[in-house]
Amino acid sequence: MKRKLAIIISAVLAVGTVLSSCQVEKVSDSKSSGSNDTIKIGVFEPLTGANAGGGELEVEGIKLANKLYPEVNGKKIELVIVDNKSDKVEASNAASRLVEKDKVTAIIGSWGSSLSMAAGDIIKKAKIPTIATSATNPLVTKGNDYYFRVCFIDPFQGTVMANYAYSKLNAKKVAIVQEVSNDYAVGLAKYFTDSFTKLTGDSKAIVSVSNYNTGDQDFSAQLTNIKSQNPDVIFAPGNFTESALLIKQARDLGIKAPIIGGDTWETPDFLKIGGSAVEGSVFSTFFATEKPITKESEKFLTEYKKEYNKEPAAVSALAYDAYLLLVDGLKRTGSEDSVKLRDELVKTKDFQGAAGVVNFDEDRNAVKAAVIKQVKDGKFTYLDLIEPTK
C-alpha cells in the first residue's frame, strides 16, 4: 500500500513540474480566452534568471502599448506572456507553447539574441510572424522570413562604438573582454574589431581578447592580463550584471582606461550593481528620452511615466513599438491570418514608432539611428545620435 501511495505522489509531482515549466501570464479584458472576439499576441521574455532585468523592462513597454491600444479590427487583444527564464532551451519551449497550445497570431520577443535565435526554427516552421525587440545579432532574422526586429543590428552598433573609441577617445589600442557564452556579445565584439582595425589600419590594434561566461563573478585573471597590455580603451560587450561587476573590479584593480559597451547596459541593475565605478561608462543604445523623435515618442514618454512613475529604458520603447507594429499590420491585413500578417509587415514604410521611424531592410531589420549615452551623476545621459550611412 505504501509503495502504491509513493507512486501516486511521484506521478502528481511530475505532472506539477511539467505544468510549471513555462510560467504564463495572460493580460486581457476579455472574459473568454481565445474567443472569436479576441486576438492573441504571444510574448516570450526572460522574467527570471540572468536577463530578467531586461525582460521586465520590455514587458512594461508591451503592457503599456496593450493598455493604450487594446483593440484592433473590432477585437480585443490578449497578451499571453511566457517566461523563457533566460535559458535557450526554455526559450524554445516558450515559443512552442505559444504556437501549439495558445495558438497565437503573432509573437513579440525576446530580450537577448541567443534567446531569440533559440525560438527561430519553431517560429519559421509554424509561420508565425515574430518581432524581436532588442535582439541585435544579425542571425536572428537571417534566413527566417517570419522574424522581424525593431532595433538596429550589431554590424552598425559595432561600427558606431569603434568610431567613438577612435574619433572621440583617440584610441589606438583596445582590449576586448566578452561574454563568450552570449551570441550577442561575441557578435558585437567581432564587428567592433573589424571596424576598429580598419579605422586604425593596424592589424594589431586589438591588443587582447579575454573571455568569460554568463554568471561569472570574478574577472581578476582577465583584468590582470588587460592591465598588463595598457590599452587606451576597453570594449566590454556583455550582460548588464556581469559588465557592472567587471567594471567595478577593473577600477578596484587601478585600471583607468575608459570602458565602453553596448545596449544591454541600459538597465537600473547596471547602475545599482556598478555604483560609482560605472560613472563615465559609455554605451550605444536605441532611444533617448531627451530626444523624442515622433509624436508617438512624446505620447510614450508621458504615458510611461504616468504608468510606472520612472523614466523609460530604450528597450521599453522598442517593445512598445513591436506591439504597435503588429497592431498596424493587423489593421492593414483586416484579419488575423498569420501568413497574411507577415506579408503585410514586410510592406511597412515610415512607421512612426516611439523609438523612431521604422523601415525594414531585406532581412527585416529596422534601419534606424543609434544613440550614445554615458553614465553621469548616476544616471544614463544622452551624448550623441548617430545616423546610419545611406
Side-chain angles (χ1 to χ4, degrees):
M1 184 66 181
K2 288 182 180 180
R3 177 176 172 79
K4 287 183 179 179
L5 181 60
I7 292 172
I8 291 169
I9 291 171
S10 298
V12 171
L13 290 174
V15 170
T17 302
V18 170
L19 291 175
S20 64
S21 64
C22 286
Q23 297 175 19
V24 181
E25 175 185 356
K26 294 185 179 181
V27 182
S28 175
D29 293 327
S30 176
K31 291 182 180 178
S32 63
S33 169
S35 70
N36 292 332
D37 296 327
T38 303
I39 296 175
K40 288 185 177 183
I41 293 179
V43 178
F44 75 112
E45 288 282 359
L47 301 177
T48 55
N51 304 127
E56 288 167 1
L57 291 172
E58 295 194 351
V59 168
E60 285 178 356
I62 296 166
K63 284 185 174 180
L64 177 62
N66 181 243
K67 180 178 180 179
L68 298 177
Y69 303 95
E71 297 183 358
V72 65
N73 300 334
K75 296 186 178 184
K76 293 184 182 297
I77 299 173
E78 177 185 318
L79 296 178
V80 184
I81 301 173
V82 183
D83 180 10
N84 65 38
K85 303 180 182 179
S86 306
D87 180 84
K88 294 178 186 178
V89 174
E90 290 291 348
S92 178
N93 291 341
S96 292
R97 178 186 178 117
L98 290 172
V99 168
E100 296 168 10
K101 185 175 185 294
D102 297 300
K103 308 293 184 185
V104 298
T105 296
I107 297 174
I108 300 172
S110 168
W111 164 285
S113 294
S114 295
L115 300 174
S116 297
M117 289 158 63
D121 285 344
I122 292 160
I123 287 160
K124 184 178 181 180
K125 184 178 179 181
K127 297 184 177 180
I128 302 295
T130 301
I131 300 182
T133 40
S134 59
T136 53
N137 189 299
L139 295 178
V140 171
T141 60
K142 195 76 174 177
N144 189 336
D145 288 343
Y146 282 82
Y147 229 134
F148 298 73
R149 80 178 97 215
V150 287
C151 58
F152 52 64
I153 58 176
D154 286 332
F156 176 55
Q157 183 174 202
T159 299
V160 165
M161 293 313 293
N163 274 311
Y164 181 83
Y166 181 75
S167 303
K168 301 293 185 181
L169 300 178
N170 299 313
K172 299 295 184 290
K173 303 288 183 183
V174 171
I176 290 177
V177 54
Q178 63 184 0
E179 187 180 351
V180 74
S181 53
N182 184 332
D183 293 321
Y184 156 82
V186 173
L188 188 51
K190 176 191 181 300
Y191 296 118
F192 177 96
T193 297
D194 292 346
S195 183
F196 190 75
T197 302
K198 186 176 179 180
L199 284 168
T200 60
D202 180 3
S203 61
K204 297 180 180 179
I206 305 300
V207 294
S208 69
V209 177
S210 302
N211 299 325
Y212 66 88
N213 290 300
T214 306
D216 285 356
Q217 296 186 354
D218 182 2
F219 307 97
S220 54
Q222 296 93 326
L223 292 170
T224 299
N225 176 59
I226 288 171
K227 187 176 182 180
S228 71
Q229 300 293 331
N230 193 30
D232 301 318
V233 169
I234 298 169
F235 183 57
N239 191 35
F240 49 88
T241 300
E242 290 83 353
S243 295
L245 288 171
L246 185 145
I247 294 170
K248 197 171 185 179
Q249 291 174 31
R251 299 312 184 210
D252 289 344
L253 201 60
I255 295 174
K256 300 187 185 307
I259 302 178
I260 63 177
D263 58 274
T264 49
W265 289 8
E266 195 183 6
T267 70
D269 287 345
F270 180 79
L271 299 175
K272 184 178 179 180
I273 295 166
S276 60
V278 298
E279 188 75 10
S281 301
V282 174
F283 59 93
S284 48
T285 187
F286 313 100
F287 174 74
T289 57
E290 301 93 331
K291 292 280 182 179
I293 304 166
T294 66
K295 287 184 179 180
E296 196 64 47
S297 305
E298 296 171 2
K299 180 176 182 178
F300 168 76
L301 289 170
T302 299
E303 295 297 333
Y304 187 94
K305 291 172 188 174
K306 189 189 300 181
E307 184 75 12
Y308 300 111
N309 195 31
K310 62 180 180 179
E311 291 289 328
V315 294
S316 299
L318 288 174
Y320 177 94
D321 283 354
Y323 178 94
L324 263 59
L325 267 166
L326 288 176
V327 171
D328 182 65
L330 286 164
K331 193 180 297 181
R332 288 186 279 132
T333 305
S335 77
E336 51 264 41
D337 182 287
S338 294
V339 175
K340 289 180 180 178
L341 175 57
R342 180 266 169 203
D343 292 342
E344 198 62 44
L345 286 172
V346 172
K347 301 174 187 175
T348 298
K349 184 172 176 58
D350 297 334
F351 177 81
Q352 304 288 307
V357 179
V358 176
N359 288 292
F360 293 121
D361 66 13
E362 63 274 12
D363 288 317
R364 299 157 306 287
N365 304 313
V367 180
K368 53 172 50 174
V371 171
I372 295 180
K373 289 186 179 181
Q374 182 178 42
V375 179
K376 186 176 181 181
D377 299 326
K379 297 180 180 179
F380 298 123
T381 306
Y382 172 84
L383 278 184
D384 204 358
L385 181 72
I386 311 298
E387 295 285 352
T389 55
K390 301 296 184 182

